[in-house]
Amino acid sequence: MPGENIILLGVNHKNTPVEIREQIAMSGGYEGPLLALKGVPGLREYYLLSTCNRVELLLVADPLEDVEDRVIDFLFGSRISNEIARKYLYLLHGQDAVHHLFMVAASLDSMVVGEAQILGQLKEAYRHAAHFGCTGPLLNKMLHKSFSVAKRVRTETAIGSSAVSISYAAVQLAKKIFGNLKDKKVLLVGAGEMAELAAEHLVGQGVGEVVVANRTLARAVDLARRFKGRAVSMEELVSQLQYVDIIISSTGATEIILHKEQVKSVMRARMNNPLFFIDIAVPRDLDPRLIEIDNVYLYDIDDLSNVVEINKSERDKEAVKAARIVEEETLKFLNWYQGVSVSPTIQALKKKIDSIALSELERTLAKMPQVTDADRKTLVRMMEAFSAKILHDPLMYLKSESCSGRDNSDQKVTIVRELFGLTRENDER
Amino acid sequence: MEEFTYLLFLTVLGITFLAAAAYFVYFISQDKRIRRIARMVMVTSGILQTLYILLRYFLAGHTPITSQHEAVFFFAWATTWAYLSFRWRYTVKNFGTFVSVLIFALVLISSFSEKNIDPLLPALQSAWLPVHGGVSLIAYGFLSLAFCGGLMYLLLERELKSKKFGYFFPRFPSLDALDQLNNHCLTTGFVFLTIGIVTGSIWARQAWGTYWQWDPKETWSLITWFVYLVQIHQRFTVGWRGKRAAVMAVVGFAAVIFTLWGVTYLLGGVHSYAG
């Protein structure tokens, strides 16, 4: 694409194992990384999406600068070398990047295809990027477009009807282990949105009680009230294991919060009744060795995706329809982009001025049969110089950097196109 | 008459095979219509097995559990009716597939041994024969159900632990259901087994003048009984459930099979005339 590079790079649950994702998961929120990225030269616009399954950056970069390596270094720091990082992350340009963004927004790239959660996360990420002044006209347009694509997919296909978030898989597994969930108790560790959603689902299946453990007790109490359950402090975590059956953990902790030995010591008191752990935190909260204990079942976020796979076939048909919509919208967007981007405008402007000059010259020469070939060449050169001089200022205007540092080429293109009456095909605005 | 008996046996063998095949097809396709057919075939097989035993009873004049063929066939019969009675109270998804295969295997094994109806040995001419023999084999029937449930538990548990969901995950009931099945069948089987051993002991007192003589079959019955006793005791005291209980159900069944065949062919003893 001319004028600028659209680049999308990131890691997700499909391409990257959780061990690698843990290295870059941003638990500290958007502010830090967004502001840090301001220092990367050649980055005109960018936004960052960080969910439990993916970290993605969408960039509009200067074509002359090599921003990719710098951004990868920024993501992984010194923890993983650039070469290894490139093996795990996906790096998309231009049309592919736009297509991917739309796929994500429409929830076609999600672990549970059709879940609505991702769109909310995308909007939130965009809000942050806009708040810190990281987005510009192109990203604004692209992201707004992605929201409308998601909406179109949702209204025109049945993709969302059978799908729910990750909690669907959790419920299915719980049923495979416990059969009936009626008298089972759920412990939420950490009061994140995902855990809440999973708990909501389990309550929908009739679980007996919800217990919430959280670092800030007030938040735990709030959440517990919602489920008519009770709140406990984080220190009571191990002792609570004796009374509950399903544990959903989603804290922002960077270390393991529950070790194998701690759980093992509880099993006897539980008379070996099964315990089902769901670890939806990245980095993980629970010791992966828990699975070695008899009657203990542990699933992290990647494991749940396998369960989801089994249910996928039903949705596949709708997904084909949805993918077609995304394809269509991607092409529409690119057409629009061609219309507003600087280079095509420059070309269109040159073509227009040149063709006016040439046609006028032809008309005049037709009335002057006495002009020799040498004179004719001189006149043509004169007309070319004339149109080049006329074009000089508008072109400088189009190519100039704006003083605020934000790319407003979109507006400039619009002005020039209107001034010179350049027609625009497929313009959607 | 003997020809008719043989024909009936062959019919039972065929119908039992059909039941297993139908359950197998149902397992693959999960088509509920096929399950209905499989159940009907299974009930038919149960009725025909009963007829075959009754026929042999009238021909021999005593309960037909005195030869290897009869004992194994009776084992199959007990398993069939234990299953059907269980089915009547509980629903355990795709359990029938496993049980029907086991029943077919038992009927098939019984077909290899001598089917003659021999006159009853003097030591066996007693009213205790149907009580001791029948009750013991009914116990085996329930214990074999526990074995099938245990196998299913281990298969499903393996998929859940390894997180590789293949063939069994969508087709099996919950681990909890299988564990309950295990518990139910073990307890029932254990009660019958206890009655079987006690009645055998009383009969031994009448026949040989001693309650217990450490005959290999007696010894192995006692070992089997202890295997199940420990299991049931541990379940209620320290919570041997889930995988451990499933493994124990399989181990216990191995002891049952050894008592039934291993002792007869390897160790001999006063019980070696029969299964």
Side-chain angles (χ1 to χ4, degrees), chain A residues 172-173 175-179 268 271-274 290-300 303 306-307 310, chain B residues 93 153 156-157 159-161 163 165 169-176 235-244:
Chain A
Q172 205 186 14
L173 276 170
K175 281 188 169 170
K176 225 6 135 211
I177 295 167
F178 297 110
R268 209 183 156 94
M271 290 284 281
N272 275 313
N273 275 308
L290 291 186
I291 195 80
E292 293 162 13
I293 308 171
D294 264 356
N295 297 327
V296 170
Y297 302 89
L298 166 71
Y299 285 80
D300 67 27
D303 303 329
N306 292 335
V307 184
I310 298 171
Chain B
K93 209 173 158 191
Y153 188 100
L156 179 61
E157 210 250 6
E159 285 198 353
L160 277 167
K161 282 267 188 186
K163 297 158 188 176
F165 303 107
F169 183 77
R171 289 181 172 80
F172 276 16
S174 66
L175 284 182
D176 184 67
R235 183 181 193 102
F236 288 108
T237 51
V238 292
W240 273 21
R241 62 181 76 239
K243 188 181 176 184
R244 186 168 290 183

Side-chain angles (χ1 to χ4, degrees), chain A residues 49-207:
Chain A
L49 173 70
S50 168
T51 74
C52 44
N53 288 329
R54 69 176 72 237
V55 175
E56 265 178 27
L57 277 156
L58 182 58
L59 318 168
V60 177
D62 200 321
L64 302 173
E65 297 271 0
D66 180 25
V67 295
E68 281 173 17
D69 283 337
R70 290 187 200 132
V71 172
I72 292 170
D73 286 344
F74 162 80
L75 267 180
F76 290 99
S78 55
R79 282 161 291 201
I80 291 176
S81 74
N82 201 299
E83 291 80 55
I84 295 176
R86 273 178 186 267
K87 255 199 277 182
Y88 289 113
L89 56 73
Y90 42 88
L91 192 59
L92 306 165
H93 296 94
Q95 178 169 356
D96 297 336
V98 176
H99 184 256
H100 181 87
L101 172 71
F102 290 177
M103 287 292 275
V104 170
S107 181
L108 292 173
D109 196 53
S110 299
M111 188 181 277
V112 180
V113 171
E115 58 154 357
Q117 209 184 350
I118 183 73
L119 187 59
Q121 289 166 333
L122 209 83
K123 284 181 176 169
E124 163 121 29
Y126 172 54
R127 232 186 341 264
H128 280 101
H131 176 73
F132 292 110
C134 312
T135 58
L138 188 50
L139 268 194
N140 286 339
K141 177 75 182 177
M142 216 190 285
L143 284 161
H144 278 127
K145 190 73 210 163
S146 76
F147 304 153
S148 66
V149 171
K151 195 171 169 209
R152 200 185 144 196
V153 165
R154 199 149 288 274
T155 47
E156 290 182 23
T157 71
I159 198 148
S161 61
S162 58
V164 273
S165 70
I166 193 96
S167 49
Y168 181 79
V171 166
Q172 205 186 14
L173 276 170
K175 281 188 169 170
K176 225 6 135 211
I177 295 167
F178 297 110
N180 196 339
L181 300 181
K182 284 263 179 298
D183 54 343
K184 298 292 173 272
K185 291 177 184 168
V186 179
L187 172 64
L188 292 184
V189 186
E193 198 188 339
M194 280 284 279
E196 221 175 301
L197 219 84
E200 232 164 57
H201 240 85
L202 286 163
V203 169
Q205 296 293 323
V207 291

Side-chain angles (χ1 to χ4, degrees), chain B residues 201-263:
Chain B
S201 169
I202 296 168
W203 186 13
R205 172 89 172 97
Q206 286 181 358
W208 300 306
T210 168
Y211 286 107
W212 200 265
Q213 52 182 334
W214 297 106
D215 162 69
K217 192 143 235 157
E218 287 176 358
T219 313
W220 273 94
S221 303
L222 196 67
I223 291 170
T224 308
W225 187 78
F226 265 113
V227 169
Y228 286 111
L229 176 73
V230 167
Q231 192 173 342
I232 289 167
H233 174 264
Q234 292 297 91
R235 183 181 193 102
F236 288 108
T237 51
V238 292
W240 273 21
R241 62 181 76 239
K243 188 181 176 184
R244 186 168 290 183
V247 169
M248 290 302 287
V250 174
V251 171
F253 189 67
V256 166
I257 292 297
F258 188 78
T259 314
L260 185 63
W261 284 310
V263 173

